[in-house]
Each structure stands twice: as structure tokens, then as C-alpha cells.
Amino acid sequence: MTTADSVDESNHGHQNEFHIHDHSHDHEEHPDGPFIAHHFETAEQQFDSGKLGMWLFLVQEILFFSGLFVAYIIYRNHNPEIFEAAHVHLDKWLGGLNTIILLFSSLTMAWAVRCSQLEQYLGCIINIVITMVCANIFLGVKAIEYTHKWELGLFWADAYTYGLPQPENQNYLLWLSLPFIVITLLSAGLATFYRVTENDFWAKFFLCIAISFLGYFIGLGIAWAVPAQEHGGHSSDHAVHGSDHGHADGEKHEADDHSGDSSGEKSHEGESHDKSDENHSAKTAVPSESVDTQAGPSVDESTVDEASGEVNMGGFFSIYYIMTGLHAIHILAGIVALTWLLYRTLDRQFRKNYFGPVENVGLYWHLVDLIWIYLFPMMYLIH
Amino acid sequence: MTNHDANHDSTAEDHAYFSHPMPVWMLLAIFFSLVFLTVMTVVMSELTDALQLQQWELWISMGIATLKAMLVIFFFMHVLYDKGFNRLMFFASFLFAGLFIALTLLDTYQYRQDVSSFPKSELPARQVGDK
């Protein structure tokens, strides 16, 4: 089954294989088809059992993510000023774009399920590939978002160095992109190799993989094309905050404003800031006892000044990286699962009474989407 | 299912239709509703200050997110047509997640007074917090 030759024989080959497998138990293949295990009475019973298992898995996914949501809620309740200071570093346009990309991938995933139920192989393959492309675009955009923060020193609490001189020549993006570059080139090479050797199945398979992973670079391009992330986020913030402050342009000012807003330690601030800050700190009305509790080892007193802003946002970014990072890992796992589906669909293994794997991977994919639906307003739309 | 043995060839066909394919128009309608709600939530966050909605902002964005989640759950995840037990399990998990969050939040402001009254100006701020 794993060799190219047997795959090319398609159904017939498989039926023999499973026939042999079943011999040890039932002496014949399950009447509902080669992929129905002998201990199930019908294909539907197998489908329902598999789906029940998938739902149980999703239930525990929700429960373990809820732990992170609790961490977020508690931390935000205790330190709202950190969230207000940090949200200017998240580009809500990129976040919104990623939301729509993920929603679109959910659409194509649901469509792929439909196609597999109706035995529309080509449609199923196209939809699975589009879903994988979207997953990779999402990761590409995310890579730009992450690396941009890292370049500014916006790390998790332990490594937080925002406002300090950053080391030169940190090729964060290159390192993040390396696996994608390797996989794209490798699968493109394999696709060419199998095309030349006229092994149609694997040529198609690796072509689809290569196309999928090209999505990552599309994502990088899109994130680059969105004009100057940090400033993009800022300009929108200016429009909103303009009514309060009526000034401030450029990164530093914005950072200062926000730190001033929330830290409440106005004695350190310039006079011009004081006035505008009154409003805002009255609104948030939160003293800053615990603001600097997250200070990493490299942040000392001297950095608590205009340049760094006074709010140490490391705590926020710890939560941000854990939640979005864990979500990104789920996306990666989804890509692996989709690759498996791609293989089986290309191999024509799904049929009217056997589409459980597509359905279940679909459920998983929608749950990943579901988590992002909540993460997006929680992380990007803070005010 | 004894009829399997009676007629091998047609049994696969008999059981072929336990699936419930979603109509394409419905999938597209759900997708565009989701996009619309995404745009709405971004627009709402942009207009928060103009509309004086600061205190409602979180609830509005969470409400829209929940609406989106419901669309995904009921239609994309097919829960509307799923078995009752699966539905029960799934929604029970939300119930427990909600219970988890609610119970943890019960004493959120319990110690705020102690923290606020702590003489912060005399010590470096970083030594004062709860971590």
C-alpha cells in the first residue's frame, strides 16, 4: 500500500490486501467495503463510533484550551494596563485577515466533506488543497507577525527586551521559514522526479504538497503588502485615540502614551503627557503596583524610561505566544492530517459509505477555527 | 443486520446514505455570514471610542465571537444534524469550561484592596506584585 506500484492499482489492489487481512478473522471482506473493520456490523456503525471518538477528543481540546483562557482572563483582570499597552503591537488588520483566511479554509474543509460524501474526487482534492494552502497562508502571516515582534524585543516575560538595543542580524524569519522552504523545494523536486518517471500518483501527491506549502510564501507576501504593520496598527489607533490625545505619531510616542496611560506613574512622564493621560488613567483607573513584576533579568531600572515605556508587557506576550503558538501547532497538526486525507483521496479510498476520516479531520479543523474565532477579539481587539 | 448476508452486492448501497451532505449554498451563506461578522467585530472595535461603548466592548466582541462560533458549530461542524449524544457532549464541554472560568473569577477582586493599599512608592514596583 505504501509502494507506488500497489497504489496505482487503486481499489482492486486494496481490496485484495484487505481481503488478506480479513482472512485471519472473518474469512471474508466486510460486505460494506474494504475499509470497514470486521468488528463493525455496518459502515454507519463504524462511522458513528469514529465520530464519537473524535467528539471526545474535541471535548478535551476545549477543556485544555479553557485553562489558557482562564489564565488570560485572570491576568487581564489583574493587569488591564498591560493589555492596553500591548494591543498596539498587534495588527488587527493582519489578525482580521488571518481570521477570514481561516474561515475560508473552514468553508473549503466543509466542502471537502461534502465532496467526499458524494464521491466527487476531484472536488474533494481541490478543496483539501485549498484548505492546506489557507493553513499555510495563515502560518506565513503569523510568521511575519511573530518575527516583527521578536525584532522589537517583544518576547515572553523571561526574554522581554523591548526598548533595549536589539542584537543585529537576527534572521528570525529565515529560521522560521526554513522548514517551509525545505518542504516546498523537496516536494516540488519529488513531484518533478515522479513526473519524469511517470509515476502519476506520487507526482500528483507531491505537486499538491508543493502547492500547499507555497501558501506560506503567499502569506509572507500578504503580510508584507499590508503597509507597515506596526504603523498600520498605529494609524488606526490614532484615528481612535485621536479624540483623546489629538497628537502622537510614530512608534515611540504611541508606546509612551500608552505606558503613560496605564502606568499611572506620572512623575516620570513629560508634562505634555500628563494632561492627556488624566482622561485615560481615570478611565482605566488601575494603579500599577504589579506592572513591573514581569521584568525579565535583562530589564533593570534604567530601562524604565521613555524609550522602553513603563509597562513591561512581557506577561501579556507570554500568554499571547502560548495561546497563538499552541493554536499554530494545531494548524501544523491539521496540515499533517490534511496531507493524510490528500493521500487517501488521491487513492480513491473514500466513498459514499466511508468518509469518516474526512468528516473527522473536518471537525478538528473547524475546532481550530473556533478557537481562533475567540483568540482574535481577545488578542487583537483590546481597547 | 442479517440482510447483509442475504444480498452482498446491494448492502453497500443500502447503507450509502447515512451521510448528510450540506448544500453548497448553505456553506457559502455561512461563510459570508462569518466574514460579515468578522468585519463587524473589527468595525465595532474601531468605533468603540466614538460610540462611547468602552464598557460594552468586551461583551460585544465576545458576543459576536459566540455568534460566529455557533454558526461554525451548527453548520460547518454539522452539529445541527448530528446525534443527540454528540451534541450533549460537545455543549457539556462548554458548560464545564464556563464553570471553570466562572469559579476562578469568583474572588478576582477579593484582594484588590490589599494590593492597592500596599505602599508602592517606597519600593521598586517589581517587588510588589502577585507573582
Side-chain angles (χ1 to χ4, degrees):
Chain A
M1 186 163 147
T2 50
T3 63
D5 289 353
S6 69
V7 161
D8 279 343
E9 290 169 28
S10 193
N11 286 338
H12 192 66
H14 283 298
Q15 271 165 5
N16 283 341
E17 200 175 311
F18 277 79
H19 197 74
I20 291 163
H21 172 72
D22 279 352
H23 256 298
S24 58
H25 303 288
D26 278 348
H27 304 289
E28 66 177 307
E29 184 182 273
H30 197 290
D32 276 7
F35 297 107
I36 312 303
H38 66 93
H39 53 276
F40 291 113
E41 292 212 338
T42 63
E44 186 174 5
Q45 192 196 19
Q46 171 168 310
F47 173 78
D48 288 338
S49 310
K51 200 167 177 181
L52 178 66
M54 195 63 205
W55 278 116
L56 279 170
F57 171 68
L58 296 188
V59 163
Q60 75 77 30
E61 288 271 301
I62 287 170
L63 292 180
F64 99 74
F65 259 103
S66 75
L68 292 172
F69 281 102
V70 165
Y72 171 94
I73 291 166
I74 298 290
Y75 197 72
R76 184 167 177 181
N77 256 310
H78 285 183
N79 308 286
E81 70 281 355
I82 294 178
F83 285 76
E84 293 219 4
H87 94 270
V88 298
H89 296 290
L90 298 181
D91 189 332
K92 69 175 73 169
W93 302 113
L94 281 184
L97 182 78
N98 252 354
T99 308
I100 289 171
I101 287 166
L102 218 49
L103 289 173
F104 185 72
S105 77
S106 255
L107 168 73
T108 53
M109 189 68 237
W111 206 327
V113 172
R114 179 194 146 84
C115 287
S116 73
Q117 288 168 336
L118 299 176
E119 298 186 349
Q120 300 166 350
Y121 292 113
L122 185 63
C124 193
I125 288 165
I126 290 172
N127 276 304
I128 286 174
V129 170
I130 293 176
T131 310
M132 289 173 73
V133 169
C134 287
N136 279 293
I137 292 176
F138 180 92
L139 290 176
V141 175
K142 209 88 201 107
I144 292 276
E145 285 190 84
Y146 276 0
T147 51
H148 187 70
K149 288 178 185 62
W150 296 345
E151 279 160 13
L152 291 174
L154 290 168
F155 289 99
W156 44 96
D158 242 17
Y160 186 81
T161 55
Y162 183 60
L164 293 176
Q166 295 300 318
E168 296 287 318
N169 301 322
Q170 294 285 345
N171 293 318
Y172 296 122
L173 190 59
L174 186 66
W175 286 109
L176 263 190
S177 306
L178 208 55
F180 294 89
I181 295 170
V182 169
I183 292 173
T184 309
L185 291 178
L186 199 66
S187 46
L190 283 169
T192 316
F193 170 76
Y194 284 118
R195 174 65 62 211
V196 170
T197 54
E198 293 185 345
N199 191 327
D200 203 34
F201 179 87
W202 289 108
K204 276 185 198 159
F205 177 78
F206 282 112
L207 182 65
C208 289
I209 300 291
I211 291 171
S212 309
F213 277 81
L214 276 178
Y216 176 83
F217 303 100
I218 298 172
L220 293 186
I222 290 174
W224 259 317
V226 172
Q229 312 178 55
E230 196 79 1
H231 298 291
H234 277 214
S235 63
S236 61
D237 284 320
H238 288 187
V240 176
H241 288 286
S243 52
D244 287 349
H245 301 296
H247 70 93
D249 55 330
E251 259 172 49
K252 267 189 179 173
H253 274 273
E254 189 73 9
D256 287 349
D257 284 345
H258 278 271
S259 58
D261 288 346
S262 40
S263 72
E265 295 181 55
K266 299 203 180 59
S267 55
H268 295 288
E269 293 286 321
E271 283 177 318
S272 60
H273 283 212
D274 276 353
K275 276 186 186 172
S276 56
D277 288 341
E278 296 288 2
N279 288 338
H280 222 268
S281 56
K283 196 169 65 193
T284 53
V286 177
S288 62
E289 311 82 20
S290 53
V291 163
D292 266 340
T293 55
Q294 297 297 312
S298 53
V299 181
D300 55 20
E301 291 301 324
S302 63
T303 63
V304 183
D305 60 13
E306 302 256 39
S308 69
E310 294 193 24
V311 179
N312 185 313
M313 297 171 285
F316 170 83
F317 282 103
S318 291
I319 290 179
Y320 169 82
Y321 285 123
I322 294 223
M323 293 189 87
T324 58
L326 198 62
H327 180 265
I329 288 172
H330 277 77
I331 300 265
L332 284 173
I335 292 174
V336 173
L338 283 163
T339 307
W340 174 63
L341 284 189
L342 180 69
Y343 166 79
R344 299 197 63 179
T345 310
L346 278 170
D347 199 28
R348 299 276 194 277
Q349 293 185 4
F350 300 120
R351 56 205 64 192
K352 277 200 165 85
N353 71 345
Y354 180 69
F355 56 88
V358 189
E359 170 99 16
N360 291 338
V361 171
L363 286 179
Y364 169 79
W365 192 253
H366 295 313
L367 189 91
V368 174
D369 188 22
L370 210 61
I371 289 163
W372 183 258
I373 283 175
Y374 279 100
L375 280 185
F376 170 58
M378 281 169 59
M379 294 293 177
Y380 290 83
L381 301 179
I382 299 167
H383 266 283
Chain B
M1 301 294 162
T2 49
N3 61 333
H4 283 297
D5 305 315
N7 192 347
H8 263 205
D9 290 337
S10 66
T11 41
E13 286 301 305
D14 290 345
H15 292 278
Y17 301 110
F18 61 83
S19 67
H20 181 280
M22 297 284 288
V24 170
W25 68 264
M26 195 186 265
L27 294 177
L28 288 172
I30 299 300
F31 169 68
F32 285 113
S33 318
L34 286 167
V35 170
F36 173 74
L37 288 170
T38 306
V39 173
M40 275 301 293
T41 192
V42 174
V43 168
M44 283 305 294
S45 86
E46 289 284 291
L47 294 178
T48 299
D49 286 7
L51 297 177
Q52 303 284 306
L53 288 172
Q54 286 89 352
Q55 65 193 69
W56 302 109
E57 203 261 338
L58 185 69
W59 296 105
I60 291 170
S61 62
M62 283 297 120
I64 292 176
T66 303
L67 201 57
K68 285 164 70 182
M70 286 301 139
L71 286 178
V72 170
I73 290 167
F74 281 119
F75 295 96
F76 280 174
M77 295 178 92
H78 218 258
V79 165
L80 203 58
Y81 310 96
D82 209 335
K83 293 215 160 13
F85 185 63
N86 291 348
R87 248 182 284 180
L88 179 74
M89 244 178 11
F90 193 49
F91 286 112
S93 78
F94 283 103
L95 191 70
F96 281 104
L99 203 61
F100 182 22
I101 291 167
L103 284 177
T104 322
L105 280 177
L106 276 180
D107 67 345
T108 303
Y109 295 109
Q110 191 70 39
Y111 308 105
R112 178 48 54 88
Q113 277 311 109
D114 300 348
V115 175
S116 301
S117 60
F118 201 88
K120 63 184 177 197
S121 55
E122 292 163 23
L123 288 167
R126 77 172 65 167
Q127 295 177 14
V128 179
D130 47 3
K131 290 253 172 174

